[in-house]
């Protein structure tokens, strides 16, 4: 020890201080960052000034000429380029709104730019455009307003020679032509667009890359926690970059030096897709997407061009960024591209084969799911899946619906029947009352079917791929207990566009940062949506218990869409009913008449048009007026085509439409699958005709002389303004147009509470927080105003039907004329009901018209028809979740029942409803002024009915609502009908070919909803997919009341019809299970086959009879 010395390393730490060093003021150095990359007073001294190495718009290098088509026409490339082009220049304006202008651009790259590293052509007129090659190939979309204004010039343009291409200018911005600077306001018809830029530009790629480096590192400095090392390090790196740039006077060398500094934070792989090729496990999956509203603030004609503009851009990005995966829904848009832009469609298809351009969704359009019928939802998937399979070789596995306004409780079941087990959305993040509690979960339908659902935690389908979007993909994730992964869906959307090169570059840097520094969730690219869901499903198979959500995904916003654009909703309901009848009769005609050809082409086109009109901004009523001009035209085509097809089918069945007043020698047509009876009104003579019978052809009785045994109905004015209508079932008192008493004679029960009145019109002030056509807010209920009725008089007083009419003044411009009718109670099939016909002249501003029905019924839940089932919702406001449902969607009926009694409200075209306590309220008309300034203005005819019923909600309400919406037709026979009963039964046997029966005396809860031919039958198929030999009949059945139910399907063996086999299928008509067939001979020596069926509650089942 003593005296020994040990040598230690000498410290390099300076002995003397070199000078004072201060603590950097964090917020000042952070605020400084904006000086480096932003515009403003420093933009000529900062990085902005170095982004371009040269620019010219000299007419010697950029020659411009234009052809302006007249009358807002949208000519094709061939048509436009055959016209005369006139010289034009930067600074000129083009319009008006919705016009098209074709520009011919002749470029000659100047000598001093030909050797530059990267050349682009920049075009900006603040509107959308599409670049075409001289040969007529669409190659690049342009957005305008500083967004996506560049086109990379081909290398061949560097030869010093002139090169020509074309730009098709659309005189609308990405979001149409809104007036007053507010996106949702009605279009300004006289908007003009100034051509501000038409330049050849030499781009400094290293400066552009540094710009994005700095952007992402700056975001880290701003958005990482302020007390984190990662935030402080990001700020230090950003300031070091700025200092290096300043020290080097912004020279190319200083830019390269700054990029080296950036790599300290981002890593050295961010300039290529190799940044994603690391061992580190990602948890955020980036998916490129371009949501194009099939119509919204622009018409369908513009959507077709948006598709070409957006998808051409994505094909270009796929060539430059191998990691880019772009997912795209809506078969309708693919069809438009195929029809209108064949070269671009071929390019898309090539990228589909490469796995880069990924069709998704399985539906015809991204449709509304609240209001379409069950069969309409089925047809969305049949059309969509068949298109994707026939064009791209695969069906979709994921239902993709990010922007629809709520999701029907039966969607999971229908998805599974369409071959999809996965569902993606995010719209519930817009809820304005309650926050939806899950990100990844099992969504369960009314019948118990489930799909794996994911709602991206970034809470948008149009993410900009910012640092914050990646960060929120975890910080807003609500299902981390089960799984920490998420989708990040990025790209310009709604008006189209999709991902930009900047977004792809930002994500590379986010990934580099995660691997280099950490803290930011690790994002990856190059995988698909199906890859993401497959991993979730594998976790579920391995035991992960994902949470469940049962029933509808109710959207706590946009409740006004159940009512806005009433005529459009009426057309939807009428077209769905028409298609039911067309397919039913056409199917029977193919059986009876071998020369009759099933009109598959026409039926497909009609369904395509109907499904198109069910797009989630069209049917809900949230589009501009031009869109409803478009939909009116399509519906008109549907109705005209449908009427012709009906007459053709009927002719093959031996019948024609009536051509004069009906007599007892004419017939009624019942296209519903159950017995019907009652009175029908002759549309020609106005007389009432009595009819009764099973499905098919019914005889009618001449009612000119009433039999004394027939039921009676009466009306009388008991005192001034007070009327009493009565039949065997009800006594109704109407006072000043309001039903003050509705007494059930059989049950000896008063339905209207004392002192109250039903069929009372009320009007509300209707000014939502912002989204006029979309929203009705809860506070509108505070403005309730009862409309006083005017004079009432007897309108009709016959032995079969009575009615009174009342006029109600709404304002100086608007009124309601109401006819309350009661028919003689002759029916044995369903309860009697009070029918109300309203004629409304509507010219209001931001008002909401409803009709109320207070009833002596108490229940904490009311029932509403939804697709293939019933949804029950609260009648109270116990919680905010209950109160949020102050306005809900229903289909043909709503019902409030208690033990032993209930009241159903039927309607022919309405979807908005509310039940608050014992007050039932049907929504009739709204009057928003944006985005359609004339929404719902004009005349409306609305039908609804009050149907009290003893006992529970059951088949009587279901059948009555169908009957109410399916009026019977009067037909004449083309050839004489045998007088002999047996011969007549045989003559009409074709209409009994397919029947659904319960097998007991009690009515079944099973509903035979659809009868059609097989999609791929060899005598029907249009060749999209392989034919199936022989003929088949498709039958769709559902259980309507919510419990297991049995019955049997009967196939009458008439006209040589006999089933070889019967299968239960999915909705795509894939055979799943063969079912046994029973045979027997019935009355009148009719031979028939029977198939026993059993459905669980609210199950939808499809059966295929192979003939």
């Amino acid at each position: 020890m003593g005296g020994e010395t040990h040598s230690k390393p000498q410290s390099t730490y300076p002995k003397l201080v070199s000078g004072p060093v201060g603590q950097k003021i964090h917020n000042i150095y952070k605020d400084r960052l904006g000086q480096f990359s932003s515009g403003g007073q420093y933009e000529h001294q900062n990085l902005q000034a170095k982004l371009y190495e040269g620019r010219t718009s000299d007419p010697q290098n950029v020659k411009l000429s234009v052809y302006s088509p007249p009358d807002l026409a949208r000519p094709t490339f061939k048509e436009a380029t055959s016209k005369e082009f006139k010289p034009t220049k930067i600074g000129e304006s083009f319009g008006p709104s919705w016009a098209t202008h074709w520009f011919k651009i002749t470029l000659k790259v100047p000598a001093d730019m030909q050797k530059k590293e990267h050349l682009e052509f920049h075009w900006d007129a603040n509107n959308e455009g599409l670049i075409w090659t001289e040969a007529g190939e669409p190659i690049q979309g342009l957005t305008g307003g500083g967004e996506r204004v560049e086109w990379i010039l081909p290398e061949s343009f560097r030869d010093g020679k002139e090169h020509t291409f074309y730009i098709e200018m659309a005189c609308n911005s990405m979001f149409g032509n809104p007036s007053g600077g507010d996106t949702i306001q009605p279009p300004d018809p006289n908007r003009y667009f100034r051509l501000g830029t038409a330049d050849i530009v030499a781009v400094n790629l290293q400066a552009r890359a540094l710009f994005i480096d700095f952007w992402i590192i700056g975001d880290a400095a701003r958005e990482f926690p302020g007390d984190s090392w990662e935030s402080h390090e990001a700020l230090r790196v950003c300031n070091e970059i700025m200092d290096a740039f300043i020290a080097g006077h912004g020279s190319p060398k200083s830019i390269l030096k700054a990029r080296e500094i950036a790599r300290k934070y981002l890593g050295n792989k961010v300039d290529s897709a190799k940044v994603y090729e690391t061992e580190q496990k990602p948890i955020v999956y980036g998916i490129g997407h371009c949501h194009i509203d099939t119509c919204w603030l622009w018409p369908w004609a513009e959507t077709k061009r948006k598709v070409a503009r957006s998808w051409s851009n994505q094909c270009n990005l796929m060539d430059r960024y191998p990691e880019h995966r772009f997912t795209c829904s809506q078969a309708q848009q693919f069809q438009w591209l195929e029809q209108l832009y064949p070269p671009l469609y071929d390019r898309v298809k090539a990228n589909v084969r490469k796995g880069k351009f990924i069709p998704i969704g399985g539906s015809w359009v991204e449709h509304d799911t609240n209001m379409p019928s069950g069969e309409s939802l089925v047809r969305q998937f049949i059309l969509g899946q068949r298109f994707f399979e026939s064009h791209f070789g695969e069906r979709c596995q994921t239902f993709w619906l990010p922007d629809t306004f709520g999701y029907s409780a039966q969607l999971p079941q229908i998805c599974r029947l369409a071959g999809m087990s996965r569902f993606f959305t995010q719209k519930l993040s817009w809820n304005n009352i309650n926050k939806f509690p899950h990100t990844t979960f099992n969504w369960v339908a009314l019948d118990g079917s489930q799909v794996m659902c994911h709602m991206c935690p970034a809470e948008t389908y149009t993410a900009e791929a910012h640092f914050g979007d990646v960060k929120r993909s975890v910080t807003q994730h609500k299902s981390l207990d089960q799984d920490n992964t998420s989708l990040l869906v990025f790209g310009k959307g709604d008006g189209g566009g999709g991902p930009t090169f900047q977004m792809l570059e930002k994500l590379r840097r986010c990934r580099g940062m995660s691997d280099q520094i950490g803290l930011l969730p690790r994002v990856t690219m190059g995988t698909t949506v199906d890859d993401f869901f497959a991993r979730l499903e594998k976790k579920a198979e391995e035991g992960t218990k994902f949470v469940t959500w049962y029933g509808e995904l109710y959207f706590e916003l946009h409740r006004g869409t159940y009512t806005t654009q009433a005529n459009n909703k009426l057309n939807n309901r009428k077209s769905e009913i028409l298609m039911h009848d067309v397919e039913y009769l056409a199917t029977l005609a193919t059986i009876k008449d071998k020369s009759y050809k099933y009109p598959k082409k026409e039926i497909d086109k009609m369904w395509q048009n109907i499904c198109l009109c069910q797009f989630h901004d069209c049917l809900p009523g949230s589009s501009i007026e031009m869109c409803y001009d478009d939909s009116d035209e399509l519906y008109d085509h549907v109705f005209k085509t449908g009427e012709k097809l009906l007459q053709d089918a009927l002719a093959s069945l031996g019948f024609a439409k009536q051509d004069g007043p009906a007599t007892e020698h004419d017939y009624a047509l019942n296209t519903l699958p159950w017995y019907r009876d009652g009175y029908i009104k002759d549309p020609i003579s106005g007389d009432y005709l009595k009819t009764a019978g099973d499905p098919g052809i019914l005889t009618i009785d001449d009612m000119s002389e009433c039999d004394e045994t027939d039921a009676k109905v009466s009306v009388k004015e008991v005192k001034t303004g007070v009327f009493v209508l009565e039949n065997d079932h009800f006594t109704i008192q109407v006072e000043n147009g309001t039903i003050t008493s509705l007494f059930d004679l059989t049950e000896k029960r008063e339905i209207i509470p004392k002192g109250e009145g039903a069929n009372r019109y009320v009007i509300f002030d209707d000014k939502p927080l912002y989204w006029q056509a979309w929203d009705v807010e809860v506070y509108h209920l505070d403005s309730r105003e009862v409309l006083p009725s005017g004079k009432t008089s007897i309108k009709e007083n016959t032995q079969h039907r009575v009615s009174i009419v009342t006029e109600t003044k709404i304002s100086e411009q608007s009124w309601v004329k109401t006819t309350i009718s009661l028919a003689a109670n002759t029916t044995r099939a369903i309860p009697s009901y009070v029918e109300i016909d309203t004629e409304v002249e509507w010219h209001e501003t931001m008002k909401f018209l409803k009709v109320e029905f207070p009833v002596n019924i108490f229940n904490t839940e009311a029932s509403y028809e939804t697709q293939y089932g019933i949804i029950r919702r609260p009648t109270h406001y116990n919680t905010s979740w209950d109160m949020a449902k102050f306005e809900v969607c229903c289909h043909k009926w709503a019902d409030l029942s208690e033990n032993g009694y209930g009241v159903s409200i039927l309607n022919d075209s309405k979807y908005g409803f509310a039940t608050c306590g014992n007050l039932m309220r049907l929504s009739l008309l709204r009057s928003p002024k944006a985005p359609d300034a004339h929404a719902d203005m004009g005349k409306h005819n609305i039908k609804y009915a009050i149907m009290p019923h003893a006992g529970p909600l059951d088949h009587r309400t279901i059948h009555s609502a169908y009957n109410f919406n399916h009026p019977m037709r009067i037909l004449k026979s083309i050839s004489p009908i045998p007088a002999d009963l047996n011969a007549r039964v045989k003559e009409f046997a074709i209409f009994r070919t397919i029947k659904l029966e319960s097998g007991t005396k009690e009515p079944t809860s099973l509903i035979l909803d659809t009868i059609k031919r097989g999609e791929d039958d060899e005598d029907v198929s249009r060749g999209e997919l392989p034919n199936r030999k022989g003929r088949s009949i498709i039958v769709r059945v559902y259980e309507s009341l919510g419990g297991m139910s049995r019955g049997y399907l009967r196939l009458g063996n008439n006209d040589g019809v006999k089933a070889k086999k019967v299968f239960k299928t999915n909705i795509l008509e894939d055979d799943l299970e063969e079912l046994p067939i029973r045979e027997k001979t019935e009355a009148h020596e009719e031979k028939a086959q029977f198939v026993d069926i059993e459905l669980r509650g609210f199950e939808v089942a499809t059966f295929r009879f192979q003939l």
Side-chain angles (χ1 to χ4, degrees):
M1 298 216 19
E4 292 185 18
T5 61
H6 296 276
S7 176
K8 295 183 178 180
Q10 294 296 309
S11 172
T12 58
Y13 177 66
K15 181 177 181 180
L16 299 177
V17 68
S18 62
V21 177
Q23 175 73 38
K24 291 185 177 180
I25 310 303
H26 188 82
N27 63 307
I28 291 177
Y29 279 84
K30 186 165 68 174
D31 291 346
R32 178 200 185 202
L33 303 187
Q35 292 184 1
F36 187 59
S37 56
S38 299
Q41 62 180 331
Y42 300 119
E43 66 179 302
H44 298 297
Q45 306 297 318
N46 66 16
L47 185 58
Q48 288 271 356
K50 306 299 179 181
L51 293 176
Y52 306 113
E53 299 174 322
R55 178 185 292 269
T56 182
S57 58
D58 190 302
Q60 296 297 316
N61 304 110
V62 183
K63 297 178 181 177
L64 305 176
S65 56
V66 64
Y67 162 62
S68 299
D71 304 321
L72 305 185
R74 293 179 172 88
T76 65
F77 174 86
K78 185 176 181 179
E79 292 167 344
T81 55
S82 68
K83 304 295 183 179
E84 180 184 356
F85 282 71
K86 298 179 179 179
T88 189
K89 62 182 183 298
I90 293 173
E92 291 196 358
S93 294
F94 301 89
S97 303
W98 312 117
T100 297
H101 300 271
W102 281 84
F103 292 83
K104 183 178 181 180
I105 296 98
T106 302
L107 292 189
K108 181 180 179 182
V109 177
D112 62 342
M113 297 178 71
Q114 290 172 17
K115 301 297 184 182
K116 296 293 185 182
E117 179 185 11
H118 185 81
L119 296 180
E120 295 177 348
F121 179 70
H122 287 196
W123 173 277
D124 196 350
N126 283 297
N127 57 14
E128 293 191 89
L130 179 61
I131 297 176
W132 296 73
T133 66
E134 192 172 18
E137 181 180 350
I139 54 172
Q140 173 76 37
L142 303 166
T143 299
E147 292 275 358
R148 211 185 313 256
V149 298
E150 75 285 344
W151 173 49
I152 299 173
L153 292 181
E155 287 296 312
S156 60
F157 278 38
R158 295 172 180 267
D159 60 2
K161 299 178 181 179
E162 289 189 339
H163 296 269
T164 298
F165 59 94
Y166 294 86
I167 293 180
E168 179 188 14
M169 174 194 281
C171 286
N172 53 266
S173 67
M174 184 69 83
F175 293 96
N177 287 298
S179 56
D182 183 348
T183 300
I184 68 166
Q185 292 307 305
D188 176 355
N190 294 303
R191 191 175 176 194
Y192 282 75
F193 298 85
R194 180 181 177 274
L195 176 58
T197 304
D199 298 349
I200 301 172
V201 180
V203 179
N204 184 333
L205 291 181
Q206 287 298 327
R208 179 180 276 178
L210 178 60
F211 184 90
I212 300 172
D213 291 344
F214 191 84
W215 184 348
I216 294 300
I217 302 172
D219 281 350
R222 289 180 288 267
E223 297 192 41
F224 273 150
D227 59 355
S228 69
W229 167 82
E230 292 86 353
S231 172
H232 285 268
E233 179 66 5
L235 183 60
R236 187 195 66 76
V237 169
C238 283
N239 277 276
E240 187 178 350
I241 287 171
M242 294 179 69
D243 292 342
F245 181 86
I246 293 168
H249 306 290
S251 66
K253 188 175 180 180
S254 72
I255 290 172
L256 292 174
K257 175 64 175 175
R259 291 217 68 205
E260 288 179 14
I261 296 168
R263 291 189 185 100
K264 297 178 185 178
Y265 206 86
L266 300 177
N268 59 6
K269 296 181 179 179
V270 297
D271 289 334
S272 78
K274 291 182 178 179
V275 71
Y276 299 109
E277 298 173 7
T278 69
E279 297 291 326
Q280 305 294 335
K281 183 180 178 182
I283 60 173
V284 179
Y285 294 79
I287 297 292
H289 181 54
C290 170
H291 182 68
I292 304 177
D293 283 318
T294 303
C295 68
W296 180 31
L297 304 176
W298 51 87
W300 283 323
E302 198 55 45
T303 305
K304 296 170 185 178
R305 303 201 293 189
K306 283 177 176 286
V307 170
R309 293 192 284 259
S310 302
W311 295 4
S312 60
N313 292 341
Q314 299 315 307
C315 290
N316 293 341
L317 289 174
M318 288 168 195
D319 294 341
R320 296 163 58 191
Y321 294 89
E323 72 269 31
H324 184 32
R325 299 295 179 270
F326 178 71
T327 196
C328 196
S329 64
Q330 308 196 72
Q332 173 69 89
Q333 294 184 8
F334 283 90
Q335 186 190 67
W336 282 338
L337 191 76
E338 181 184 28
Q339 293 170 345
L340 301 173
Y341 303 91
L344 179 54
Y345 175 78
D346 289 342
R347 194 176 174 200
V348 165
K349 196 167 184 178
N351 279 306
V352 171
R353 287 193 294 268
K354 295 174 184 175
K356 295 184 175 184
F357 198 114
I358 304 162
I360 200 168
S363 58
W364 190 245
V365 295
E366 288 188 13
H367 52 92
D368 178 75
T369 77
N370 288 312
M371 291 169 281
S373 68
E375 188 63 25
S376 286
L377 294 184
V378 166
R379 294 313 174 95
Q380 288 283 354
F381 291 131
I382 289 177
L383 291 172
Q385 290 286 53
R386 288 179 63 82
F387 183 92
F388 291 128
E389 183 179 9
S390 62
H391 286 71
F392 305 116
E394 289 185 357
R395 295 173 179 173
C396 301
Q397 295 179 275
T398 302
F399 185 31
W400 183 271
L401 210 60
D403 193 31
T404 293
F405 313 147
Y407 304 94
S408 163
Q410 285 287 51
L411 274 180
Q413 180 181 186
I414 301 172
C415 283
R416 296 308 295 260
L417 291 170
M420 293 182 286
S421 59
R422 304 150 182 181
F423 178 57
F424 172 82
T425 186
Q426 66 81 47
K427 197 64 176 185
L428 267 61
S429 67
W430 284 38
N431 280 6
N432 71 346
I433 296 180
N434 298 287
K435 194 76 172 174
F436 191 77
H438 309 305
T439 292
T440 304
F441 58 98
N442 294 309
W443 181 24
V444 185
L446 296 179
D447 77 315
S449 300
Q450 67 176 0
V451 291
M452 180 68 74
C453 181
H454 180 72
M455 299 185 182
C456 52
E459 297 188 346
T460 180
Y461 53 89
T462 58
E464 293 280 345
H466 290 323
F467 174 99
D469 293 320
V470 177
K471 179 184 172 187
R472 285 186 289 274
S473 294
V474 167
T475 60
Q476 294 181 170
H477 200 302
K478 306 183 191 74
S479 301
L480 293 174
D481 289 346
Q482 291 84 42
D483 186 78
N484 64 354
T485 64
S486 64
L487 289 174
L488 175 60
V489 181
F490 66 95
K492 302 288 184 180
D494 293 332
T500 63
F501 79 86
Q502 294 96 329
M503 295 177 187
L504 294 163
E505 293 285 354
K506 284 187 287 181
L507 288 176
R508 284 180 174 179
R509 285 153 178 80
C510 286
R511 174 56 183 265
M513 181 189 298
S514 299
D515 287 343
Q516 183 78 5
I517 298 295
L519 194 57
L520 184 68
R522 188 167 286 106
V523 65
T524 191
M525 293 282 289
T527 61
T528 69
V529 173
D530 283 332
D531 293 336
F532 174 80
F533 274 106
R535 194 190 54 78
L536 293 176
E537 289 180 349
K538 187 167 187 267
K539 284 192 72 172
E541 290 170 9
E542 293 171 349
T544 299
K545 299 291 186 183
F546 289 97
V547 298
T548 54
W549 184 273
Y550 284 77
E552 68 177 332
L553 294 173
Y554 177 83
F555 184 38
E556 296 179 3
L557 201 68
H558 294 2
R559 303 169 185 88
T561 58
Y562 311 144
T563 304
T564 310
Q565 298 288 0
N567 187 61
N568 197 53
K569 291 172 169 61
L570 173 63
N571 284 338
N572 176 70
R573 181 80 63 85
K574 286 169 60 181
S575 66
E576 290 172 335
I577 291 165
L578 174 65
M579 294 308 298
H580 170 277
D581 291 356
V582 166
E583 292 185 308
Y584 166 62
L585 294 172
T587 298
L588 297 184
T590 62
I591 295 170
K592 183 177 178 63
D593 182 357
K594 298 298 186 287
S595 66
Y596 176 84
K597 174 69 174 173
Y598 190 79
K600 182 72 161 55
K601 180 179 180 181
E602 292 83 355
I603 286 173
D604 282 352
K605 186 59 180 177
M606 291 167 71
W607 270 120
Q608 287 175 4
N609 287 343
I610 293 167
C611 289
L612 172 57
C613 291
Q614 290 172 348
F615 177 73
H616 70 253
D617 275 309
C618 185
L619 180 55
S622 48
S623 291
I624 60 172
E625 187 172 9
M626 295 170 75
C627 297
Y628 297 105
D629 294 337
D630 287 346
S631 65
D632 285 348
E633 185 177 333
L634 284 191
Y635 279 125
D636 183 63
H637 178 267
V638 167
F639 295 137
K640 287 178 179 176
T641 303
E643 187 61 32
K644 181 182 183 303
L645 296 184
L646 280 177
Q647 299 312 318
D648 290 346
L650 284 168
S652 289
L653 295 168
F655 293 89
K657 65 180 179 180
Q658 69 177 122
D659 54 7
T663 71
E664 63 270 24
H665 301 296
D666 291 324
Y667 299 89
L669 174 64
N670 173 20
T671 60
L672 292 177
W674 46 71
Y675 175 93
R676 294 177 71 175
D677 57 13
Y679 297 109
I680 58 174
K681 191 173 186 178
D682 185 339
I684 295 177
S685 69
D687 294 335
Y688 286 98
L689 309 166
K690 187 177 180 181
T691 187
D694 289 323
I697 298 298
L698 283 59
T699 58
I700 57 178
D701 297 328
D702 184 0
M703 300 299 296
S704 58
E705 295 185 8
C706 180
D707 191 302
E708 291 185 1
T709 62
D710 280 344
K712 301 293 195 301
V713 64
S714 64
V715 60
K716 57 185 175 181
E717 186 173 11
V718 296
K719 61 180 179 180
T720 303
V722 180
F723 296 80
V724 174
L725 296 77
E726 189 171 73
N727 65 8
D728 294 343
H729 198 169
F730 297 127
T731 297
I732 306 167
Q733 181 171 293
V734 180
E735 188 171 348
N736 296 322
T738 301
I739 300 172
T740 54
S741 174
L742 174 52
F743 190 79
D744 187 326
L745 296 169
T746 304
E747 299 296 316
K748 296 181 172 53
R749 177 165 182 154
E750 176 59 59
I751 286 106
I752 309 301
K754 188 175 181 179
E756 297 286 351
N759 200 51
R760 174 188 290 146
Y761 295 106
V762 289
I763 197 164
F764 301 83
D765 190 69
D766 189 16
K767 298 185 183 74
L769 296 174
Y770 178 66
W771 301 96
Q772 283 194 46
W774 295 259
D775 287 350
V776 55
E777 294 293 356
V778 64
Y779 54 75
H780 88 286
L781 296 170
D782 301 331
S783 65
R784 175 179 177 271
E785 177 186 347
V786 177
L787 294 176
S789 297
K791 182 181 177 182
T792 302
S793 59
I794 295 174
K795 178 181 180 181
E796 188 176 25
N797 188 2
T798 72
Q799 298 156 320
H800 324 298
R801 183 181 174 94
V802 297
S803 60
I804 58 174
V805 61
T806 303
E807 294 189 12
T808 301
K809 183 178 180 181
I810 299 173
S811 67
E812 292 302 319
Q813 299 82 30
S814 305
W815 49 261
V816 183
K817 183 185 290 185
T818 307
T819 301
I820 300 174
S821 302
L822 187 66
N825 185 29
T826 64
T827 178
R828 69 170 174 84
I830 58 173
S832 181
Y833 51 68
V834 183
E835 186 174 327
I836 297 109
D837 288 86
T838 51
E839 180 185 345
V840 187
E841 190 67 40
W842 183 245
H843 298 281
E844 296 303 296
T845 297
M846 301 178 194
K847 298 294 181 183
F848 200 154
L849 179 67
K850 307 185 184 187
V851 60
E852 295 181 341
F853 312 93
V855 294
N856 273 321
I857 303 291
F858 180 79
N859 200 323
T860 57
E861 288 185 327
S863 299
Y864 304 86
E865 185 188 37
T866 188
Q867 298 94 346
Y868 299 131
I870 298 170
I871 189 82
R872 293 179 174 86
R873 302 183 178 107
T875 62
H876 54 77
Y877 297 155
N878 282 1
T879 70
S880 60
W881 292 88
D882 299 325
M883 191 168 184
K885 296 178 181 177
F886 62 84
E887 181 85 3
V888 298
C889 184
C890 76
H891 281 220
K892 299 184 291 294
W893 59 265
D895 182 87
L896 183 62
S897 292
E898 62 187 23
N899 183 39
Y901 206 87
V903 176
S904 298
I905 305 298
L906 318 178
N907 77 82
D908 77 334
S909 61
K910 296 296 153 187
Y911 296 92
F913 208 93
T915 307
C916 180
N918 70 333
L919 181 62
M920 306 177 77
R921 186 187 291 126
L922 178 66
S923 296
L924 299 180
L925 293 168
R926 298 185 68 223
S927 49
K929 300 304 173 187
D932 177 1
H934 306 108
D936 286 322
M937 296 298 98
K939 186 163 289 186
H940 300 268
N941 293 96
I942 306 163
K943 283 180 61 177
Y944 51 91
I946 310 169
M947 194 188 86
H949 55 85
L953 168 64
D954 60 18
H955 72 279
R956 294 168 298 170
T957 293
I958 311 291
H959 290 193
S960 295
Y962 269 96
N963 293 354
F964 193 73
N965 280 269
H966 287 73
M968 288 190 277
R969 290 171 174 257
I970 297 174
L971 305 177
K972 68 175 184 178
S973 175
I974 295 175
S975 56
I977 298 294
D980 177 70
L981 178 60
N982 287 336
R984 185 184 299 179
V985 168
K986 187 174 182 180
E987 183 72 21
F988 294 163
I990 185 64
F991 292 95
R992 296 189 300 279
T993 298
I994 292 282
K995 290 180 66 178
L996 170 64
E997 298 182 0
S998 66
T1000 69
K1001 293 182 179 180
E1002 295 300 317
T1004 178
S1005 63
L1006 300 179
I1007 303 292
L1008 198 168
D1009 193 56
T1010 298
I1011 297 174
K1012 62 184 285 289
R1013 288 294 307 277
E1015 292 288 324
D1016 295 312
D1017 289 357
E1018 60 185 353
D1019 64 325
V1020 167
S1021 171
R1022 299 175 61 200
E1024 316 102 299
L1025 293 169
N1027 288 356
R1028 177 182 267 147
K1029 288 187 177 182
R1031 298 186 298 164
S1032 60
I1033 299 174
I1034 303 298
V1035 177
R1036 195 143 23 249
V1037 178
Y1038 73 97
E1039 198 288 318
S1040 63
L1041 293 174
M1044 187 275 287
S1045 185
R1046 297 186 181 97
Y1048 58 81
L1049 292 168
R1050 174 192 179 278
L1051 179 67
N1053 299 150
N1054 308 294
D1055 297 291
V1057 177
K1058 191 170 184 179
K1060 297 176 182 176
K1061 294 181 179 181
V1062 178
F1063 298 90
K1064 189 174 184 180
T1065 75
N1066 58 23
I1067 63 173
L1068 303 179
E1069 301 173 16
D1070 301 322
D1071 294 338
L1072 304 177
E1073 174 189 1
E1074 186 174 352
L1075 303 177
I1077 301 172
R1078 296 185 285 111
E1079 297 188 19
K1080 73 174 183 178
T1081 301
E1082 299 180 307
H1084 309 291
E1085 298 185 352
E1086 282 193 61
K1087 293 183 179 180
Q1089 295 172 297
F1090 299 86
V1091 177
D1092 296 314
I1093 62 174
E1094 178 180 299
L1095 275 65
R1096 61 185 177 272
F1098 298 130
E1099 181 184 356
V1100 182
T1102 304
F1103 302 93
R1104 187 176 74 85
F1105 286 76
Q1106 180 70 54
L1107 305 182

